Each structure stands twice: as C-alpha cells, then as structure tokens.
C-alpha cells in the first residue's frame, strides 16, 4: 500500500480519551488513510515518531484571529503550538458582517484596524478566506456586538423592535452563509445595554440553524452567578445550546468562586445544553478601559495606539512616571489593550480540571506585547498542567483540545485520529513540550512541537512555518450518521 506520509512508531493518542497505543499513521492527500502496523506500506515521506506523541491537531474554540487569518495567513502563533483549527468571532465581535466605516468602537478595534476593508456580508468574508487561505482551518461565530454596531442607532440602549428584527435577519443570513454560531459579549460597552430578551432573540436564530450560542458573559466578577443564570435562561428560553466562553472568576473578592460556579454549570447541564472553555492562565487580556484594572492585582499594557513605547510596561509604573492615577493613565493610553492579573491559581486549576472544560487561548493578535497565551496556551496545558502539575492524563488533556471542541461546535471529521478523517495531525515530544512565551517575552514559539499537518500538508516543521496554507473555511457539519 502507498501513502504520501507515514508517521511511524509514535504513541497514537486518538483524541477520544482512550489510552495511547504505539502504532503508525498514514496520510494520503488530505485524509488519514490507515492506522496500525503499517510496516508493509510505502510513502514518499517517512517520519520516525518513536518516543513522540501523535495526536489530532488542536482546535482553538475561542480566539480573535478574524482579521489575522487574512493579514497573517501563516498564523505561526497558532501552528507552532499545534493548533490546526481556529474558531473566530468570539465575545460578541466578528469582523463580518460589518457595515460601519472608519474608527470602530472598542473592543472591535483590537481585532480590526480602521483602514482595513469591511465585509458587509459573511459570504464576502468567507470568499476572501477561501481565495487566499491561511495555514489553519478557520470557522467563525457571528458577533451580536457587531450586528448591534450595524443596526442599533444608539448603542447605549436596548435594540428597539425594528432594530432587533434587522439583527435577527442579518444573523440568519450570516448563519446560512457559513457562520458557525452566534457569540455575545454583554460585558462590553457596545452590547452592555442589551437585555436578556435581546440576547435570547439572537439565540433563537442560532437554534433555528442548529448552531450554538457562545457568550462572554455580562459579568465574570462580583456578579458571575447572576451572569451564569442569565446565560442558562437564554438557553432555556431559546431552546439553544449555550457555551460559556473563557470561564473565570475575576477579582480578589471572587477568588474561590469556581467552587460555586462549576457545580452550577454541572447542575444546569443535566437540564439543558451547556458547555464551557477556559484558558490556562491567571491573567486575562482585553481592552484597557474595560474596567478590569479595578479587579486586577497587576496590569501590563500590551498595546497603546498613542504610546506604543509603553507596551510591556506595568500600568502602575506608567501612572507613577506620569504622576497620575491609574484611571487617568488608562484615559491617556487608550485606545489600548492590557493584560490583567485577576484570577486565583486555585480557580484556574479547578476550572481546567473540571470534567467538561475545553481549552481555549482567547488570543488577540495585536501589538508588540501580547498575552503569552497567543503563542503558548496548548503547550502550557500539555507541559505545565499535564506533565508538571498533573491535573490530568495526557489522553484527557488532548481530548479537551480535540474531540471535545469538535463535538461541541459540530466540526465533523476533525478532532480525532481515525481513518477517513482529515489529516490534521500534531507530533510532539511529551517530555519537552512547554510554552516559551512569557509575560516578559511573549512572542516565542513553544518547545517540543515537531510536526504539524493541516489537511495532510506540513505547516510547521518544528522550527518554522513551511509556507503551506492548506486551511479551509469550516461550517457546522451535520451530525455524523451512525450506521
Ligand atoms: Zn471574551
Ligand atoms: Cu474572547
């Protein structure tokens, strides 16, 4: 038998959580064509993976690379950590459909520059992506905040009946054109005035398409319990699956709250469709003027349009240098983004190890000093939290970054190593895998990721991007038929 690529002697971890086994894997064109003892097979490329893990490519279900897939299509920050599929359009903000010209309200300005072309329909965005594809597969949620920016005349109030109708129509159209689901971000100013009913109206459209409602909840701090209840209510009222994005308990006063929120989620899961993801860090990152600095023990400025030289410095130092308060420093620095140390390590570990938690990076690709999660999330889970802290087994850690996100968002034939699945495959060294990105030096490829294939093509060779851009646009697939 003949294949294009054979990966020999690796520990095959299939993504389903089943114990790894030593076997070979064959790739032909864009598919996995065989798994097992392939001694008699021939291939033009043979890779010896003895001592290495062979796993499905990682699926990052929550990231903000909507624009980056077009402007930085090699997306080395993702491929170098083993990510082969990204889901964009999160936290209520997608760059399509977008009618608004000129300066965009924060946080949308963090993912799309003012001078970049706009996509007034999702179909146009999809076309651009397919005409000049990135190295990774890309799906995209449709952001309710973006729809609001398009349709609601005054963002400081709830949508009126006709605005709501136009948002629903626009969402319906975008989901027909390949949007993976809807995302909301009532935490953020452009959507803060949205009522629960307005969010539910969005979820109803997602439900009609059999797609998911993902949310950056209204509150992740003092009112996280209320926000969870609101999210569950949206799901129940719309009969729609709801997904809590980057679950966290922010602010000193809320450290330890995951002991309450996780049982709430578990209980809700028994009655309705609920899911969650999280990032493996105690620090989050978002627009600087989100109010988050009031909950943080430390803030690093990651980007400032007016003071780019301040990127990488502590907000407290900048304020001291200027002789102003933190709030005044924020006002001077914006438009800007920051890294906020707001979580307790115990909560991070409790949320990460919760049986139903999927891993995400929540990365934003902007500025010279991003959060290290942009480059280091998945290796950090497999190195630090799996190997060193021993939060979970290798198989369980991989499951949280492969089959679980694939099943949650309905991405078929990916997230598992199986014959006839797309050949999104990572080969890594389980003993050396680690993030090298730090808060001081955040732009660094991880250690231990040796080969990354997307649709059967090598995109990361362990040292550098190969230049191949085999990524596809992904939409939700029909549930796999069990014959
Ligand atoms: Zn968010
Ligand atoms: Cu996000």
């Amino acid at each position: 038998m003949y294949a294009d690529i054979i990966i020999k002697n690796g520990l095959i971890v299939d993504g389903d959580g089943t114990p790894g086994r030593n076997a070979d894997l064959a790739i032909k064109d864009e598919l996995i064509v065989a798994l097992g003892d392939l001694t008699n097979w021939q291939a033009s490329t043979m890779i010896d993976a003895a001592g290495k893990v062979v796993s499905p490519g990682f699926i990052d279900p929550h990231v903000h690379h909507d624009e980056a897939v077009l402007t930085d299509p090699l997306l080395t920050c993702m491929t170098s950590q083993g990510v082969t599929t990204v889901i964009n359009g999160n936290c209520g903000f997608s760059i399509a459909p977008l009618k608004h010209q000129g300066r965009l309200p924060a946080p949308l300005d963090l993912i799309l520059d003012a001078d970049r072309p706009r996509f007034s329909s999702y179909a146009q965005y999809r076309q651009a992506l397919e005409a000049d594809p990135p190295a990774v597969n890309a799906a995209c949620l449709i952001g309710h905040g973006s729809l609001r920016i398009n349709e609601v005349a005054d963002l400081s109030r709830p949508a009126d009946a006709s605005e709501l109708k136009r948002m629903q129509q626009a969402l319906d159209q975008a989901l027909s054109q390949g949007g993976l689901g809807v995302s909301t971000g009532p935490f953020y100013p452009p959507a803060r005035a949205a009522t629960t009913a307005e969010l539910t109206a969005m979820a109803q459209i997602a439900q009609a398409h059999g797609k998911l409602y993902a949310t950056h909840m209204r509150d992740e701090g003092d009112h996280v319990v209320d926000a969870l209840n609101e999210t569950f209510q949206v799901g129940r009222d719309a009969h729609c699956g709801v997904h809590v994005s980057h679950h966290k308990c922010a602010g000193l006063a809320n450290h330890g709250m995951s002991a309450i929120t996780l049982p709430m989620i578990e209980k809700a899961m028994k009655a309705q469709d609920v899911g969650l993801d999280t990032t493996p860090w105690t620090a989050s990152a978002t627009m600087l003027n989100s109010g988050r600095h009031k909950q943080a023990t430390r803030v690093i400025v990651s980007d400032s349009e007016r003071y780019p030289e301040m990127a990488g410095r502590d907000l407290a130092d900048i304020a001291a240098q200027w002789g102003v308060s933190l709030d005044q420093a924020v006002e001077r620095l914006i438009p800007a983004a920051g890294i906020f140390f707001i979580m307790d390590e115990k909560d991070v570990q409790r949320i990460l190890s919760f049986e139903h938690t999927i891993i995400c990076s929540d990365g934003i690709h902007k500025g010279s000093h991003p959060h290290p999660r942009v480059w280091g999330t998945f290796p950090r889970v497999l190195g630090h939290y799996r190997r060193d802290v021993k939060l979970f087994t290798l198989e369980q850690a991989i499951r949280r970054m492969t089959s679980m996100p694939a099943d949650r968002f309905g991405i078929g034939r990916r997230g598992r190593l199986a014959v006839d699945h797309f050949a999104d495959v990572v080969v890594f060294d389980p003993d050396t895998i680690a993030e090298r990105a730090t808060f001081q030096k955040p732009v660094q490829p991880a250690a231990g990721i040796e080969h990354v294939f997307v649709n059967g093509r090598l995109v990361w060779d362990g040292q550098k991007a190969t230049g191949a851009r085999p990524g596809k646009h992904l939409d939700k697939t029909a549930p796999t038929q069990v014959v």
Side-chain angles (χ1 to χ4, degrees), residues 57-394:
F58 309 140
I59 297 174
D60 191 338
H62 185 115
V63 78
H64 296 278
H65 297 333
D66 305 36
E67 179 73 359
V69 291
L70 302 174
T71 54
D72 178 20
L74 292 179
L75 224 62
T76 311
C77 63
M78 291 272 94
T79 60
S80 66
Q81 50 176 320
V83 173
T84 55
T85 295
V86 295
I87 300 179
N88 289 315
N90 276 288
C91 297
F93 297 94
S94 55
I95 68 167
L98 201 60
K99 301 184 199 161
H100 191 92
Q101 298 296 330
R103 244 224 111 83
L104 291 161
L108 195 50
D109 63 342
L110 293 182
I111 55 170
L112 180 62
D113 285 333
D115 54 356
R116 290 285 304 165
R118 300 291 143 88
F119 301 103
S120 61
S121 71
Y122 188 76
Q124 283 177 14
Y125 174 71
R126 177 181 181 159
Q127 239 165 36
L129 195 73
E130 288 176 335
D132 193 12
V136 297
N137 304 305
C140 193
L141 302 166
I142 306 303
H144 159 250
S146 301
L147 299 175
R148 269 193 138 243
I149 290 167
N150 290 340
E151 307 295 350
V152 178
D154 175 1
L155 291 172
S156 67
R157 60 158 173 76
D160 67 26
S162 71
E163 290 163 345
L164 192 63
K165 188 142 205 219
R166 288 204 300 277
M167 286 199 289
Q168 284 189 307
Q169 284 166 345
L171 177 58
D172 181 49
Q173 186 187 52
L175 294 180
S176 306
Q177 294 172 346
L180 189 68
V182 68
S183 78
T184 67
F187 168 79
Y188 285 111
R192 220 167 258 171
T195 59
T196 306
E198 183 178 324
L199 302 178
T200 305
M202 298 300 113
Q204 280 164 344
I205 303 298
Q207 191 275 339
H209 287 262
K211 293 178 175 177
L212 212 57
Y213 170 98
T215 184
H216 178 150
M217 299 193 300
R218 199 177 288 281
D219 194 288
E220 298 178 314
D222 297 351
H223 303 286
V224 63
V225 164
D226 297 338
L228 273 175
N229 281 325
E230 178 181 46
T231 303
F232 301 154
Q233 191 192 331
V234 167
R236 283 195 308 271
D237 291 351
H239 307 285
C240 185
V242 293
H243 191 78
V244 176
S245 294
H246 48 60
H247 182 43
K248 61 176 77 71
C249 299
L252 268 178
N254 304 303
H255 286 185
M257 274 298 279
S258 62
I260 292 170
T261 59
L262 295 176
M264 276 180 74
I265 292 172
E266 189 145 45
K267 186 169 168 226
M269 286 176 97
K270 297 201 169 99
Q272 64 185 108
D273 180 5
V274 179
L276 77 160
D277 55 47
T278 203
T279 67
W281 313 85
T282 55
S284 73
T286 189
M287 56 194 263
L288 196 59
N289 51 334
S290 61
R292 274 242 150 108
H293 67 283
K294 294 188 178 66
Q295 292 173 317
T297 49
R298 180 185 172 201
V299 179
I300 301 172
V301 174
S302 56
D303 188 36
S304 163
E305 213 173 277
R306 280 192 274 170
Y307 298 93
E309 68 279 11
M310 293 301 182
R313 289 189 52 191
D314 274 37
L315 179 64
D317 292 346
I318 299 170
Q321 183 189 322
W322 287 345
V324 299
S325 70
L326 292 185
D327 284 334
Q328 288 166 328
V330 167
E331 282 309 311
R332 282 198 202 176
L333 288 161
I334 57 170
I339 299 166
F340 304 85
F341 292 77
I342 48 170
M343 292 242 321
D344 184 31
E345 178 64 29
K346 281 206 201 81
D347 284 315
V348 172
Q349 294 195 13
R350 197 184 285 129
I351 295 171
L352 273 175
S353 55
F354 180 56
E355 189 188 338
H356 307 289
T357 304
I358 294 169
I359 308 299
C360 74
S361 76
D362 197 10
I364 300 176
H365 187 285
K366 190 166 178 9
S368 60
H369 203 95
H371 190 299
R373 66 193 184 182
V374 173
W375 288 79
T377 293
F378 295 83
R380 178 169 168 83
V381 170
L382 290 166
H384 179 65
Y385 282 117
R386 187 272 314 176
R387 182 184 56 232
D388 305 338
V389 182
K390 299 188 170 52
L391 273 191
F392 22 56
T393 63
L394 176 69

